[in-house]
Amino acid sequence: MKTVIYTLAFMIGLISCKSVEKMVEKGEYDKAFSYAINKLRGEKNKKTEYVKALEKAYFKLNSASVREISKLNAETKPENWSRVLDVYKDMENRQERLEPLVPLVSEDGYVASFNMKSYRDEIIVAEDNTCLYYYNNANALISKSEKTGVRLYARDAYDELKKIEKIKSHFRDSEKLKEKALVTGLTRIDFEIINDLRDFHSNTIERELSTMAVSSMDDLWHDFSMGKGSDGADYVVILELNNINFSPERERVHTYTDNKELLIKKDKVKETRDSTVVFVEKEVYEKVRADVTEIFREKKSELHGVIRVMDTRNREYVKTIPVNVYYDFAGYGCRSAGDERALSEDSKKKMDAFLENFPTDFMMADDLAKAFKNSIMNELRKISLD
């Protein structure tokens, strides 16, 4: 049994060795490096095949990294500094993984050779130059934004400066420059209300609209404000109130009658049948009725307006959106008179002693204003303003 186990272990080891050798032969150096590291870590007797595979994979990977850095030529192509930085970090990480195994000697006495060195200086230079590239890029983009008035350039500059944060928390005056990018790239949207309602409730509705929480739509690049004035605003959202209507109060009454025959009692009476006296059971019914009265009340209201979005740079409207809201009141009451036992199941379900009073025009105007306000907010969330 032990012989079988030892043979099996030997076969698995042999297959593993061939596997790592194949990886090296096929040029899969990353895979071979990781595989050999895992096989050698913690092993007292380190197999020569793994040691040699690790040695070769490390050499090949480092050689490829050096060639890539040379090819990137970041000194004359500064846009490549970020990639150079990544390559140096890969080399440092690879070395850190290998370090716990060095010096590496196999069970057969083979001593692996690794070119170990510190890449800290190279990484610092690459970090500085990468940050400098992003910094210069951001400066140029902000200047372009200020000259052209295109805010997207400033937003791109902000993204460049955010990249610096990931490398160095403070690089030159990048924080100050980031604030400048935020200010330059910000779109300011102001709201104005034009009230053309010729109605007693127009001021109430305007006051309600002026309380809109437009600032809830603020984000990094958009600042919404109500009634600050169009000076300095990039867009002005004009809320026009055009027309309001209230219908007359309408009440309709519908009456009907439910009838039913109810079994009251059963009596036994004498009857003579074929000269024989018998007792017969007879049912006694009572006719009952109930008068049902239904009352329907309705009153309608509507408010109409328009959202106009003006680009202050050219004083042109970029969006015109009609807004129409309706608030309809429907009141219902139902009662009965007479014998309730006559009511059908449908009639019983209709019974409603509470009949709502008609809302006043003030109440309906208030509901219209709130609905109008919600419609405006919903429409504005759909609009994209640069």
Side-chain angles (χ1 to χ4, degrees):
M1 186 65 179
K2 285 184 179 179
T3 305
V4 173
I5 293 171
Y6 290 147
T7 305
L8 185 62
F10 174 76
M11 291 299 292
I12 291 171
L14 189 63
I15 292 167
S16 296
C17 291
K18 287 183 178 179
S19 175
V20 76
E21 287 170 359
K22 281 184 180 179
M23 290 178 198
V24 172
E25 286 174 12
K26 290 164 68 176
E28 296 175 342
Y29 300 118
D30 266 318
K31 194 184 291 185
F33 181 82
S34 296
Y35 188 84
I37 286 275
N38 290 334
K39 286 292 182 181
L40 292 169
R41 190 181 290 127
E43 288 293 324
K44 186 176 180 182
N45 299 316
K46 296 176 170 46
K47 293 187 179 297
T48 303
E49 291 84 354
Y50 293 140
V51 173
K52 287 184 176 180
L54 182 61
E55 181 184 43
K56 187 170 184 179
Y58 180 79
F59 173 77
K60 290 288 187 181
L61 289 169
N62 265 21
S63 298
S65 295
V66 171
R67 286 196 302 273
E68 186 177 0
I69 289 169
S70 177
K71 186 179 178 181
L72 288 169
N73 191 17
E75 293 290 347
T76 56
K77 298 176 182 176
E79 67 273 13
N80 289 340
W81 273 115
S82 62
R83 291 170 64 190
V84 169
L85 176 59
D86 289 339
V87 175
Y88 275 126
K89 284 185 174 179
D90 284 344
M91 293 174 77
E92 184 180 60
N93 178 261
R94 190 182 304 133
Q95 188 167 279
E96 285 174 353
R97 292 174 65 193
L98 177 64
E99 227 162 8
L101 295 173
V102 177
L104 185 58
V105 183
S106 77
E107 60 185 358
D108 297 331
Y110 179 81
V111 181
S113 174
F114 300 102
N115 181 24
M116 308 285 278
K117 59 167 287 186
S118 171
Y119 295 102
R120 273 293 86 197
D121 290 342
E122 287 86 348
I123 287 174
I124 289 169
V125 169
E127 284 178 342
D128 285 341
N129 282 298
T130 300
C131 290
L132 182 61
Y133 174 74
Y134 291 145
Y135 180 86
N136 290 337
N137 233 11
N139 249 324
L141 286 165
I142 289 172
S143 296
K144 194 173 182 180
S145 180
E146 289 174 331
K147 288 176 184 176
T148 62
V150 179
R151 288 178 286 274
L152 291 176
Y153 292 134
R155 296 175 190 180
D156 289 340
Y158 181 84
D159 291 339
E160 294 290 277
L161 294 164
K162 289 291 286 183
K163 292 175 187 176
I164 294 176
E165 281 183 10
K166 296 176 182 177
I167 302 168
K168 289 196 171 185
S169 56
H170 296 285
F171 181 82
R172 296 191 177 183
D173 61 342
S174 58
E175 287 301 312
K176 186 177 177 182
L177 200 60
K178 194 165 65 175
E179 289 301 317
K180 188 177 181 181
L182 281 170
V183 172
T184 308
L186 187 66
T187 298
R188 296 165 183 82
I189 303 105
D190 191 42
F191 286 73
E192 292 181 5
I193 300 172
I194 296 177
N195 192 346
D196 285 335
L197 299 178
R198 300 292 181 263
D199 185 87
F200 185 72
H201 308 285
S202 63
N203 290 337
T204 303
I205 292 172
E206 184 175 338
R207 277 196 301 273
E208 181 65 32
L209 290 184
S210 67
T211 65
M212 278 198 306
V214 294
S215 61
S216 65
M217 294 186 289
D218 288 355
D219 58 30
L220 187 64
W221 298 114
H222 298 87
D223 176 48
F224 293 84
S225 59
M226 174 65 73
K228 285 185 180 177
S230 57
D231 290 346
D234 301 298
Y235 293 94
V236 177
V237 178
I238 301 167
L239 310 177
E240 293 184 10
L241 296 168
N242 296 334
N243 187 34
I244 189 169
N245 245 336
F246 301 97
S247 75
E249 297 175 354
R250 296 185 177 91
E251 183 173 284
R252 179 169 57 88
V253 179
H254 174 241
T255 60
Y256 63 91
T257 301
D258 280 346
N259 294 290
K260 193 179 288 184
E261 285 191 345
L262 301 176
L263 177 63
I264 301 301
K265 60 181 178 177
K266 294 181 180 180
D267 290 337
K268 287 188 177 181
V269 295
K270 288 182 180 181
E271 286 188 3
T272 302
R273 293 180 181 176
D274 298 329
S275 302
T276 304
V277 175
V278 295
F279 286 90
V280 179
E281 189 178 74
K282 288 201 170 183
E283 296 178 339
V284 179
Y285 287 88
E286 179 185 0
K287 286 186 177 181
V288 294
R289 60 173 284 170
D291 297 318
V292 179
T293 302
E294 291 181 285
I295 302 173
F296 301 88
R297 287 178 174 174
E298 68 174 32
K299 183 178 180 180
K300 297 185 177 183
S301 61
E302 55 190 275
L303 176 61
H304 304 283
V306 179
I307 301 172
R308 299 188 194 278
V309 182
M310 183 179 69
D311 188 334
T312 59
R313 290 169 292 190
N314 50 29
R315 309 297 294 178
E316 290 183 359
Y317 292 112
V318 294
K319 286 280 181 183
T320 301
I321 307 164
V323 181
N324 305 297
V325 295
Y326 304 87
Y327 173 62
D328 297 343
F329 164 77
Y332 178 81
C334 184
R335 61 179 183 268
S336 66
D339 196 323
E340 290 185 357
R341 294 176 300 169
L343 294 173
S344 66
E345 289 303 315
D346 284 343
S347 294
K348 288 176 183 177
K349 291 175 184 177
K350 291 179 182 178
M351 292 298 115
D352 186 352
F354 178 74
L355 178 61
E356 299 96 327
N357 291 323
F358 284 104
T360 64
D361 288 356
F362 283 105
M363 293 166 65
M364 297 192 88
D366 187 56
D367 286 325
L368 283 172
K370 288 173 181 173
F372 196 83
K373 187 165 67 172
N374 290 336
S375 294
I376 290 170
M377 295 291 282
N378 290 334
E379 291 295 340
L380 289 173
R381 288 189 179 97
K382 301 175 189 175
I383 301 172
S384 177
L385 300 173
D386 62 28

